[in-house]
Amino acid sequence: MSQQTAQRGGVAWALVITGVAGFMAALDNLVVTTALPAIREDFGGELHDLEWTVSAYTLTFAVLLMFGAALGDRFGRRKLFVVGIAIFTAASAAAALAPGIEALIAARAVQGVGAAIMMPLTLTLLTAAVPAAKRGMAYGTWGAVNGLAVASGPLIGGSLTEHVSWQWIFWLNVPLGLALLPLARLRLAESHGTGAPLDLTGTVLASGGLFGIVYALIRGNIDGWTSVPVLTGLIVGFALLAGFVRHGIRGKNPTLPMRLFRSRAFSAINAASLLMFVGMFGAIFLLSQFLQTVLGYSPTEAGLRMLPWTGMPMLVAPIAGYLSDKIGGRPVVTVGLALQAIGLGWFAAVVATDVSYAAQLPALIISGVGMALYFAPAASLVMASVIPSEQGIASGANNALREVGGALGIAALASVFSAQGGYASPQNFVDGLGPSLWVGAAVVALGAVAAWLLPRRTATEETAVTAPASDRPVAERTPAGV
């Protein structure tokens, strides 16, 4: 990088711009959760409508995440980063102005498109702007900002909903986005990747398949599991995903080369991540409503009471990182997922219409510690599971699978909830919540088993699965994602 380029980019400006952009995208994963009762009161939506206000974002974010990184590599990372910010900001304003639940869901889906373009390019642009000797500090700051967004999402959403209106959880993004647009154009240096062909086929197959499955899970209890729409969604969804797998095996420059899954380390950590997010997102979606709908807390109070869970990674992550360096990431991630499962099971055991916060607190703390022990070493395990030239695509794949897990978790646990209970009364809500949390605990426990199957040595210590020459352009992309 030339001195002129480095000066134009500027480490401080790159950190600020990419940090704020990443904060907005990460925040919108969970910021809606504590606003759900208020949205339901205003628009009169049913459970399946509320699911889509979250899942529409996570689903489009997940399936387009790696495609967004590829667009930046091909057409210019700064240029596409600006495009992503513009889409995300405009969609945020549309969500705030939405006259009904359908318009809100549509705006959330477009928000996910913007985030999928913007988010993976934050790290590549930061890498281009920061000298190699300072990248560790820069990555740590960037990661901490994103962690803060996840932790504070329910609290920010609850505070804005209670003291202003739920629309302001979306209006918040507009001034930030408008400020970032000129700053990104003027203060970030342009960079390109390898210019590899875009995988339109893989993107369409993954998008259609996941949409069909999530649609079927959300509509199953409403339309009946043997109804034509639900069966069609399941059959077509799984067929398209099978096509995506086949494309990943035989296609040229696929978004996700299936040969990566020959590595036991790559398969195990991605299975653990997917299962972790299925249980965690599904549980947070329901528990944020439980605290308000059943226990009567205000949105702000609900957000504060969830902090022992969502905010714990900010405190425990340094300890988890130290332990990972000393004894390896495998036991730390395994214990973390086991604790997350225990926390969800504990909550399922004590949940009642009159449960005290003191009785909930151990479950929240255990879940929070478990989450922190997972997050700290998981990224390192993903990077160590492949050869260095494929770390970019491995990072993007892991983040996409985590977002997919979030969308599937909300759909699956809400399906269990609606089969066993509902919103008719506080007891009816608890009747559905308990079984849902037990399912979430079981899923995360399976994630702990997957993590335990990680090899004791990483791909950099073993014979790595090498890429064919035709796949090298995609494999050599810079890291794409959190």
Side-chain angles (χ1 to χ4, degrees):
M1 185 188 298
S2 68
Q3 186 175 2
Q4 182 180 3
T5 302
Q7 184 178 5
R8 185 187 181 195
V11 174
W13 277 115
L15 267 173
V16 170
I17 295 166
T18 60
V20 173
F23 183 89
M24 290 195 303
L27 182 73
D28 273 60
N29 264 321
L30 290 178
V31 74
V32 178
T33 54
T34 41
L36 290 172
I39 293 172
R40 181 169 174 263
E41 183 178 343
D42 275 5
F43 290 154
E46 299 298 329
L47 177 65
H48 58 275
D49 296 318
L50 296 179
E51 290 176 66
W52 278 118
T53 62
V54 182
S55 294
Y57 179 82
T58 56
L59 202 55
T60 53
F61 190 6
V63 298
L64 296 175
L65 186 66
M66 297 180 72
F67 188 67
L71 285 172
D73 285 352
R74 181 77 178 274
F75 299 109
R77 291 164 180 156
R78 185 188 64 189
K79 182 188 298 181
L80 265 294
F81 179 68
V82 170
V83 170
I85 293 173
I87 293 172
F88 185 86
T89 304
S92 296
L97 295 169
I101 196 74
E102 294 83 3
L104 176 60
I105 292 168
R108 288 284 287 165
V110 178
Q111 260 194 316
V113 174
I117 298 172
M118 173 177 70
M119 186 65 168
L121 297 177
T122 59
L123 197 55
T124 51
L125 287 166
L126 186 61
T127 301
V130 178
K134 297 182 178 179
R135 284 177 188 163
M137 175 275 295
Y139 292 160
T141 304
W142 180 88
V145 169
N146 281 273
L148 179 63
V150 174
S152 59
L155 178 58
I156 291 174
S159 298
L160 289 173
T161 299
E162 180 179 354
H163 299 295
V164 191
S165 72
W166 65 261
Q167 284 87 352
W168 274 90
I169 64 178
F170 302 115
W171 281 127
L172 178 67
N173 295 322
V174 175
L176 293 175
L178 291 175
L180 286 179
L181 286 171
L183 288 175
R185 181 68 183 84
L186 297 173
R187 296 292 182 176
L188 293 178
E190 183 61 281
S191 64
H192 293 77
T194 59
L198 299 174
D199 184 18
L200 292 172
T201 301
T203 302
V204 171
L205 289 171
S207 304
L210 289 167
F211 176 81
I213 292 170
V214 171
Y215 174 84
L217 288 172
I218 290 175
R219 299 295 305 184
N221 287 311
I222 303 162
D223 299 336
W225 290 99
T226 58
S227 65
V228 172
V230 171
L231 287 178
T232 301
L234 289 172
I235 293 169
V236 173
F238 280 111
L240 289 174
L241 286 185
F244 176 74
V245 172
R246 185 177 184 276
H247 174 71
I249 296 171
R250 300 188 178 185
K252 279 191 174 184
N253 296 312
T255 298
L256 180 56
M258 290 298 142
R259 59 181 164 71
L260 293 179
F261 289 96
R262 297 176 197 162
S263 162
R264 193 178 88 189
F266 184 80
S267 297
I269 189 59
N270 279 289
S273 297
L274 177 72
L275 293 167
M276 158 71 174
F277 272 68
V278 168
M280 181 190 72
F281 260 70
I284 290 177
F285 173 78
L286 293 170
L287 285 173
S288 61
Q289 296 180 72
F290 167 75
L291 292 173
Q292 297 177 68
T293 303
V294 176
L295 299 185
Y297 294 121
S298 71
T300 304
E301 290 171 339
L304 283 170
R305 280 162 175 76
M306 292 186 74
L307 275 179
W309 184 1
T310 58
M312 192 61 69
M314 301 298 292
L315 301 176
V316 180
I319 301 171
Y322 173 80
L323 290 174
S324 180
D325 290 340
K326 288 294 182 183
I327 63 176
R330 173 175 171 261
V332 179
V333 168
T334 303
V335 170
L337 291 174
L339 288 175
Q340 178 77 83
I342 291 170
L344 290 178
W346 188 312
F347 216 117
V350 303
V351 69
T353 57
D354 58 350
V355 62
S356 67
Y357 185 65
Q360 303 168 48
L361 193 56
L364 293 167
I365 293 173
I366 292 170
S367 294
V369 172
M371 184 192 297
L373 292 177
Y374 159 80
F375 275 129
S380 296
L381 286 169
V382 171
M383 293 302 197
S385 70
V386 297
I387 58 177
S389 63
E390 294 180 331
Q391 288 180 340
I393 197 167
S395 174
N398 181 256
N399 284 282
L401 286 170
R402 281 161 47 175
E403 295 295 330
V404 166
L408 291 175
I410 291 169
L413 266 64
S415 179
V416 175
F417 170 85
S418 59
Q420 302 292 323
Y423 291 101
S425 67
Q427 185 58 53
N428 189 232
F429 194 100
V430 168
D431 290 342
L433 179 61
S436 301
L437 293 178
W438 282 120
V439 170
V443 170
V444 178
L446 286 176
V449 173
W452 186 249
L453 295 176
L454 279 161
R456 294 182 184 276
R457 293 186 300 165
T458 66
T460 56
E461 300 166 319
E462 298 180 294
T463 302
V465 180
T466 57
S470 62
D471 286 343
R472 285 297 173 192
V474 175
E476 290 171 4
R477 289 180 190 157
T478 49
V482 270

